[in-house]
C-alpha cells in the first residue's frame, strides 16, 4: 500500500518533486505531495477562448493529490468558460462568490454562493456568468481509475 506525506509549499509554481521508494514485500511506498495551497499565492492564468476579453475567465491550479486536482475558476460578468467534455473525470464545484448558470448536456440551472454541483464522467458542460458581478468557483477534479462503463 502507499502512504502520502504532506509538505507545505510557499509557491504553487515551485513544488517539490514527488519522491517514491521502491515497494517490496511488507514495505510502504511513500510519496511527497503538496498539502497546502495558500489562496493569496494562487497563480491566475487566462482560460477564455474570447480573444477580445482574454482575462474574462481565469484558472488557478491548487493541489494535485494522486488521481485528483483542485483549482479555482473565475468568470467575469458576461463571460463563459466554453463547452468542455469531462471524459473520464468527475468534476465537483462549489460557488465561492457570485452566481453562474450551469449547462450540463441539455439541462440548465442557476447556482450561487455556497451551492455545490458535480459533472459526471462522459458529459459535456459549460459555465456562464450572466450576472453583473464576478463569480469564483472551487473545483475538485477526480480521474476515474476503474474500467469504463463502455468497456466490457
Amino acid at each position: 500500500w502507499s502512504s502520502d506525506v504532506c509538505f507545505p509549499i510557499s509557491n504553487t509554481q515551485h513544488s517539490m518533486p514527488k519522491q517514491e521508494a521502491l515497494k517490496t514485500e511488507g514495505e510502504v511506498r511513500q510519496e511527497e505531495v503538496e498539502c497546502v495551497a495558500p489562496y493569496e499565492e494562487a497563480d491566475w492564468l487566462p482560460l477564455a477562448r474570447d480573444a477580445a476579453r482574454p482575462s474574462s475567465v481565469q484558472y488557478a491550479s491548487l493541489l494535485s493529490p494522486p488521481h485528483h486536482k483542485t483549482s479555482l475558476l473565475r468568470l467575469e460578468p458576461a463571460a463563459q468558460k466554453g463547452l468542455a467534455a469531462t471524459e473520464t473525470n468527475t468534476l465537483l464545484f462549489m460557488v465561492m462568490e457570485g452566481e453562474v448558470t450551469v449547462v450540463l448536456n441539455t439541462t440548465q440551472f442557476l447556482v450561487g454562493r455556497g451551492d455545490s454541483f458535480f459533472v459526471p464522467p462522459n458529459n459535456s458542460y459549460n459555465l456562464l456568468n450572466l450576472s453583473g458581478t464576478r463569480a469564483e468557483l472551487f473545483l475538485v477534479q477526480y480521474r476515474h481509475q476503474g474500467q469504463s462503463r463502455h468497456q466490457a
Side-chain angles (χ1 to χ4, degrees):
W1 63 283
S2 68
S3 173
D4 294 330
V5 178
C6 285
F7 62 91
I9 56 174
S10 61
N11 187 320
T12 56
Q13 291 183 349
H14 300 97
S15 61
M16 295 175 63
K18 290 183 179 179
Q19 297 178 351
E20 289 189 30
L22 293 175
K23 182 178 179 185
T24 59
E25 191 65 33
E27 288 187 3
V28 174
R29 183 186 79 203
Q30 291 187 334
E31 293 183 40
E32 290 186 343
V33 295
E34 299 169 358
C35 62
V36 177
Y39 180 86
E40 298 79 24
E41 295 180 13
D43 185 20
W44 292 96
L45 302 171
L47 186 65
R49 296 174 178 106
D50 182 355
R53 296 178 50 198
S55 294
S56 63
V57 180
Q58 296 179 323
Y59 171 84
S61 183
L62 298 176
L63 300 173
S64 297
H67 313 297
H68 295 74
K69 183 173 187 85
T70 63
S71 54
L72 298 169
L73 186 66
R74 279 184 183 161
L75 291 94
E76 294 299 326
Q80 65 174 304
K81 180 184 179 299
L83 190 62
T86 58
E87 299 177 4
T88 61
N89 296 305
T90 296
L91 306 177
L92 305 162
F93 291 89
M94 187 186 88
V95 181
M96 297 172 50
E97 175 184 334
E99 63 182 29
V100 294
T101 299
V102 179
V103 179
L104 177 55
N105 291 320
T106 59
T107 304
Q108 182 174 313
F109 52 93
L110 182 67
V111 290
R113 184 174 187 268
D115 294 339
S116 300
F117 64 96
F118 83 101
V119 182
N122 305 307
N123 280 275
S124 60
Y125 74 100
N126 195 1
L127 304 175
L128 300 89
N129 182 354
L130 303 176
S131 76
T133 61
R134 180 173 74 186
E136 188 169 300
L137 296 92
F138 175 75
L139 163 65
V140 176
Q141 177 179 334
Y142 172 78
R143 181 172 299 277
H144 180 68
Q145 298 297 308
Q147 194 176 35
S148 170
R149 62 183 159 147
H150 298 293
Q151 295 174 335

